[in-house]
Amino acid sequence: MSSPLSSQYAALLSAAARTEPHVAGALHCLILRTLPHPPPTYLLNHLLTAYGKAGRHARARRVFDAMPHPNLFTYNALLSTLAHARLLNDMEALFASMTQRDIVSYNAVIAGFSGCGSHARAVRVYHALLQADSSVRPSRITMSAMVLAASTLGDRALGRQFHCQTLRLGFGANPFVGSPLVDMYAKMGLVGDAKRVFDEVEGKNVVMYNTMITGLLRCKMVEEARQLFEVMTDRDSITWTTMVTGFTQNGLESEALDIFRRMRFQGIAIDQYTFGSILTACGAISALEQGKQIHAYIIRTCYDDNVFVGSALVDMYSKCRSIKLAETVFRRMKCKNIISWTALIVGYGQNGCSEEAVRVFSEMQRDGIDPDDYTLGSVISSCANLASLEEGAQFHCLALVSGLMPYITVSNALVTLYGKCGSIEDAHRLFDEMSFHDQVSWTALVSGYAQYGKAKETIDLFEKMLAKGVKPDGVTFIGVLSACSRAGFVEKGRSYFHSMQKDHGIVPIDDHYTCMIDLYSRSGKLKEAEEFIKQMPVHPDAIGWGTLLSACRLRGDMEIGKWAAENLLEIDPQNPASYVLLCSMHAAKGQWNEVAQLRRGMRDRQVKKEPGCSWIKYKNKVHIFSADDQSHPCSKGIYEKLEWLNSKMLEEGYKPDVSSVLHDVADTDKVHMVSHHSEKLAIAFGLIFVPQEMPIRIVKNLRVCVDCHNATKFISKITGRDILVRDAVRFHKFSNGVCSCGDFW
């Protein structure tokens, strides 16, 4: 009677192990109550296996320890249980105690080590297998695991050895081993070997095709992947998702959208990974309308609550410059993780909303989410954009406390922060403390010195970067060219521009051309700037024409100035720079009728000049000033301080420069206008409230005008204070009557 009952229990345990492993305990109680003790070994083996698959390794071990006659199957079952539970020491000890082993035993231990990332130990077990009894022969499962181990270790020689052994064992045409071989060779960049393995495998299944397509796309062989995809007769959702992801990663976002449309048309099931990839494609090409349509489809398929998809939506809307929609999606997400928060923080930073990025980061911390290196690096970058040294320093402390300082993303962001905030010494000190420098590290420091006006240091650092074998990118050259421009190094700048294309294969963009226009213009070589523009393969952008026009105003070159203004108006009719700079040129010559005509043109076209403003941060509060601003609560004291400064500056030989006043009024009125510019009001506030031992840090939305630049030099000498001004172009550090820019502003 017990034998049929034992068989029934064995069948139930076998079924439970596959479908409902949690019922193993109830069946165990029935076995103890209804069967003689001890139950048959084969039945206890089923019980041990069921406990193992249920993840109850302690109970599995107790069953094993109580068995009077364990056999090889028993040991293998417990080995598998310990391997899945990642109890490697127990697994290894049990394996060592076994007097008899078969290939299942070895495979269990190999799987245990591989599952925990100990691939080198898995390889050692394989070598022990080869040295064991010749009756134990590697199986296709063994060889598949070994190929995966070699792939993960990135060991080409080891991978080729396993491939040779696979062929000798007769598994060369087996898709179960062929698929990881294709994947291994593709990951190692040996796509030719991957294709040969693929061609030799018989009875290729969809997994094999998917692996080959993934390998081709990884090696940027897009057309080959497309051809293989088209000849497939049996495609699953992974095939389609692989194509969508591969096209996106290879910069073929429009093709990725086409594949996605075909996928939907054929009724293929779409999962979170497909949605994530296609949303990335939409974000990359700012395909907002397509992104909205996919969002609607996501809602219909009930994936809108998926945290992975939600994060991808936030990222997509951010990249499409729809930050409000990104925030709406984020706020509606029921479950948020570090990726979700980071997507919104980065999105705010990318859309020029740096203050909101800092605010959301603080909200994330209050929500109990700890930042990772990418999140912290992103919020530090936002502080850099705000030139907020105070908050940036707090995040520097957080990086130290949280242990994220060694991450290069954080260190690079801090180097950029201190560089953009005018603390170039701190930026360089941090750079020197880094154990590893990549292209971004060098570029951050080069750009920091360039923005600070230290041309010689910028060039020396760039040459050191090249000597270290670090390849510069386009951003690095923008820093170097701008440094040459501000220092008047025309020949050196021209040499770097040609080297950028010839030696480094970097195709110039608008910013590089603008740097070259600025290089010639600042040095008074306006004819050369004109010739350079005429030889450019593309027309300058608005900034390029504005740079030339600004130089024409300073040099009084009306002919080239009009040419620049006409071109600027043609490409950007609403840009006020062309009107303002031309007005300034005519005003300097006393041509007030022309000034009035230009002003009427601005009114008719509803073009408005951006009002200049300056701001200073004090005790976590930003104080903003505009010209003749009397709205500040401390206005009385600020204007009194400014009047005192004006009298002291006049005693020191200061002469107001009224060239920026574009009104036909008396000189005394012009002097009054320039004396109350926003920068001077902000500096007066700083002199009153910022402690003597601290520098005064001002940020402007426009470039520093000639008069404010001269006045600030006098103020720094009179008061003995260091004044740092970050304008729309660069940093100026005023100390004891001298500016760091060397007056190349």
Side-chain angles (χ1 to χ4, degrees):
M1 182 177 177
S2 62
S3 180
L5 190 56
S6 296
S7 298
Q8 290 178 22
Y9 284 142
L12 288 170
L13 285 168
S14 182
R18 291 194 302 270
T19 58
E20 298 179 274
H22 58 279
V23 305
L27 288 170
H28 191 181
C29 292
L30 282 173
I31 289 169
L32 293 176
R33 285 204 306 268
T34 58
L35 292 180
H37 188 76
T41 299
Y42 81 91
L43 179 58
L44 292 175
N45 285 344
H46 279 288
L47 181 62
L48 192 158
T49 301
Y51 274 136
K53 290 189 176 179
R56 307 179 77 171
H57 55 84
R59 288 199 175 188
R61 186 70 199 229
R62 284 199 293 272
V63 170
F64 175 85
D65 291 339
M67 289 177 68
H69 307 294
N71 55 24
L72 183 56
F73 185 93
T74 314
Y75 278 92
N76 288 343
L78 186 59
L79 275 177
S80 296
T81 297
L82 296 173
H84 286 133
R86 301 196 169 197
L87 299 170
L88 299 188
N89 291 335
D90 292 346
M91 178 193 73
E92 201 168 16
L94 179 65
F95 183 72
S97 71
M98 293 172 63
T99 56
Q100 182 187 2
R101 298 167 183 156
D102 62 4
I103 191 57
V104 177
S105 317
Y106 284 98
N107 286 346
V109 177
I110 288 170
F113 283 133
S114 296
C116 293
S118 301
H119 298 286
R121 294 173 76 180
V123 172
R124 286 198 292 272
V125 174
Y126 176 78
H127 288 152
L129 162 62
L130 296 181
Q131 296 166 10
D133 188 341
S134 59
S135 63
V136 182
R137 184 173 178 269
S139 67
R140 63 191 183 108
I141 296 172
T142 320
M143 298 317 301
S144 176
M146 286 301 96
V147 171
L148 287 171
S151 177
T152 306
L153 293 169
D155 192 327
R156 288 188 179 187
L158 187 64
R160 290 193 186 280
Q161 289 175 23
F162 289 142
H163 188 186
C164 291
Q165 290 170 20
T166 298
L167 295 172
R168 283 202 301 270
L169 291 164
F171 301 133
N174 190 301
F176 187 83
V177 183
S179 187
L181 274 170
V182 168
D183 185 64
M184 178 193 74
Y185 281 128
K187 282 181 178 176
M188 294 178 178
L190 303 171
V191 71
D193 292 328
K195 289 174 76 174
R196 278 192 290 273
V197 172
F198 179 80
D199 292 337
E200 291 168 2
V201 171
E202 298 172 357
K204 300 177 186 67
N205 55 24
V206 68
V207 176
M208 191 79 185
Y209 275 95
N210 291 346
T211 305
M212 189 68 236
I213 289 173
T214 301
L216 291 168
L217 291 168
R218 188 184 290 124
C219 296
K220 301 189 180 301
M221 299 178 70
V222 178
E223 283 309 311
E224 290 83 349
R226 193 200 306 268
Q227 290 170 14
L228 193 58
F229 173 79
E230 296 298 347
V231 301
M232 287 179 68
T233 55
D234 183 24
R235 306 181 187 116
D236 60 9
S237 62
I238 296 174
T239 316
W240 290 91
T241 301
T242 299
M243 292 297 291
V244 171
T245 305
F247 279 141
T248 302
Q249 291 173 344
N250 281 281
L252 300 170
E253 290 84 5
S254 297
E255 287 85 342
L257 282 164
D258 290 338
I259 290 287
F260 181 75
R261 292 188 193 99
R262 287 176 59 186
M263 184 179 181
R264 282 189 59 191
F265 181 76
Q266 295 196 16
I268 307 296
I270 298 174
D271 60 15
Q272 59 178 343
Y273 303 108
T274 322
F275 282 128
S277 294
I278 199 61
L279 288 170
T280 300
C282 291
I285 57 175
S286 299
L288 180 59
E289 288 308 311
Q290 290 93 327
K292 286 181 177 179
Q293 292 171 15
I294 293 167
H295 188 182
Y297 185 60
I298 286 168
I299 294 171
R300 290 200 303 274
T301 52
C302 300
Y303 268 97
D304 49 323
D305 285 336
N306 183 288
V307 66
F308 182 86
V309 176
S311 302
L313 279 167
V314 173
D315 181 67
M316 182 273 294
Y317 280 125
S318 299
K319 286 188 168 71
C320 291
R321 301 290 175 186
S322 297
I323 192 63
K324 289 296 181 185
L325 289 175
E327 184 172 15
T328 301
V329 171
F330 178 82
R331 296 300 174 193
R332 288 178 179 173
M333 290 175 66
K334 295 178 182 177
C335 178
K336 303 179 182 76
N337 59 14
I338 184 65
I339 298 173
S340 322
W341 287 96
T342 302
L344 188 61
I345 290 167
V346 172
Y348 274 129
Q350 290 171 340
N351 284 272
C353 306
S354 297
E355 289 183 2
E356 286 82 353
V358 176
R359 173 182 58 78
V360 170
F361 183 88
S362 300
E363 185 183 344
M364 180 189 79
Q365 287 184 299
R366 289 194 298 272
D367 207 44
I369 305 292
D370 293 324
D372 60 12
D373 60 303
Y374 187 63
T375 318
L376 187 56
S378 299
V379 76
I380 291 171
S381 296
S382 290
C383 290
N385 293 332
L386 290 169
S388 178
L389 184 62
E390 187 177 344
E391 281 180 314
Q394 292 174 7
F395 289 125
H396 187 175
C397 293
L398 177 60
L400 293 168
V401 171
S402 63
L404 294 174
M405 194 66 199
Y407 287 89
I408 197 164
T409 48
V410 176
S411 299
N412 285 346
L414 284 168
V415 171
T416 303
L417 166 78
Y418 286 114
K420 285 189 174 181
C421 290
S423 298
I424 196 65
E425 296 85 2
D426 290 327
H428 207 142
R429 178 180 54 79
L430 267 172
F431 179 86
D432 289 339
E433 290 173 357
M434 293 170 65
S435 58
F436 171 75
H437 304 115
D438 63 3
Q439 184 188 72
V440 178
S441 319
W442 285 97
T443 298
L445 196 59
V446 166
S447 300
Y449 271 107
Q451 200 171 36
Y452 205 70
K454 294 182 176 289
K456 183 180 181 302
E457 290 86 345
T458 302
I459 292 168
D460 289 345
L461 193 64
F462 178 69
E463 292 295 342
K464 187 177 178 181
M465 174 184 179
L466 295 178
K468 292 276 187 182
V470 181
K471 186 174 177 61
D473 63 5
V475 179
T476 323
F477 274 101
I478 290 171
V480 174
L481 292 173
S482 62
C484 291
S485 170
R486 284 161 190 153
F489 298 160
V490 177
E491 289 306 316
K492 191 171 280 291
R494 188 181 310 172
S495 173
Y496 281 134
F497 182 74
H498 293 310
S499 171
M500 176 184 78
Q501 302 170 76
K502 181 181 176 183
D503 300 331
H504 301 282
I506 297 172
V507 178
I509 60 173
D510 288 339
D511 289 340
H512 298 117
Y513 288 120
T514 299
C515 285
M516 291 302 294
I517 295 169
D518 194 45
L519 177 73
Y520 291 121
S521 301
R522 280 177 185 268
S523 301
K525 300 179 183 295
L526 297 178
K527 281 292 181 184
E528 290 188 44
E530 182 183 13
E531 287 302 315
F532 178 81
I533 290 172
K534 289 178 178 178
Q535 292 174 13
M536 283 170 54
V538 294
H539 292 297
D541 61 5
I543 299 173
W545 286 116
T547 299
L548 179 62
L549 181 55
S550 180
C552 290
R553 180 187 69 82
L554 288 172
R555 304 287 175 178
D557 193 321
M558 188 67 73
E559 181 184 350
I560 296 178
K562 284 184 176 179
W563 177 64
E566 288 169 0
N567 281 280
L568 179 56
L569 283 171
E570 184 178 341
I571 63 172
D572 190 2
Q574 294 302 113
N575 192 324
S578 52
Y579 296 97
V580 173
L581 290 170
L582 274 176
C583 280
S584 179
M585 293 171 71
H586 287 299
K589 295 180 181 294
Q591 298 170 346
W592 297 109
N593 289 335
E594 285 79 356
V595 172
Q597 187 176 349
L598 285 166
R599 288 186 179 279
R600 280 194 297 273
M602 288 181 71
R603 283 197 301 271
D604 293 343
R605 292 180 174 86
Q606 296 184 330
V607 178
K608 293 185 178 179
K609 177 182 178 293
E610 182 183 3
C613 62
S614 303
W615 59 92
I616 179 171
K617 194 167 188 177
Y618 175 66
K619 288 188 175 180
N620 287 324
K621 184 178 179 181
V622 177
H623 300 263
I624 303 174
F625 299 91
S626 56
D628 276 322
D629 189 355
Q630 298 192 26
S631 62
H632 196 278
C634 302
S635 280
K636 186 176 184 223
I638 291 170
Y639 276 88
E640 287 175 357
K641 174 64 79 172
L642 205 50
E643 293 305 317
W644 177 82
L645 286 171
N646 281 330
S647 64
K648 287 292 183 183
M649 286 192 294
L650 290 171
E651 291 174 10
E652 291 288 332
Y654 161 69
K655 294 181 180 179
D657 187 317
V658 297
S659 61
S660 61
V661 179
L662 307 181
H663 297 279
D664 186 14
V665 295
D667 286 347
T668 54
D669 292 327
K670 292 181 179 180
V671 170
H672 176 80
M673 288 178 178
V674 298
S675 65
H676 295 159
H677 274 185
S678 65
E679 180 186 336
K680 293 177 181 175
L681 294 173
I683 291 172
F685 174 90
L687 290 170
I688 296 170
F689 292 102
V690 176
Q692 181 73 28
E693 64 276 7
M694 294 177 63
I696 297 169
R697 298 176 181 275
I698 309 294
V699 182
K700 286 181 64 71
N701 66 327
L702 303 176
R703 295 182 70 169
V704 177
C705 71
V706 175
D707 179 69
C708 284
H709 191 273
N710 291 335
T712 308
K713 289 198 295 185
F714 276 96
I715 293 171
S716 70
K717 183 178 180 181
I718 292 166
T719 61
R721 301 290 295 271
D722 285 349
I723 303 171
L724 284 85
V725 179
R726 179 181 171 184
D727 67 12
V729 178
R730 51 153 302 160
F731 243 106
H732 303 262
K733 181 179 180 180
F734 300 90
S735 183
N736 197 30
V738 178
C739 179
S740 61
C741 73
D743 290 350
F744 277 97
W745 76 96

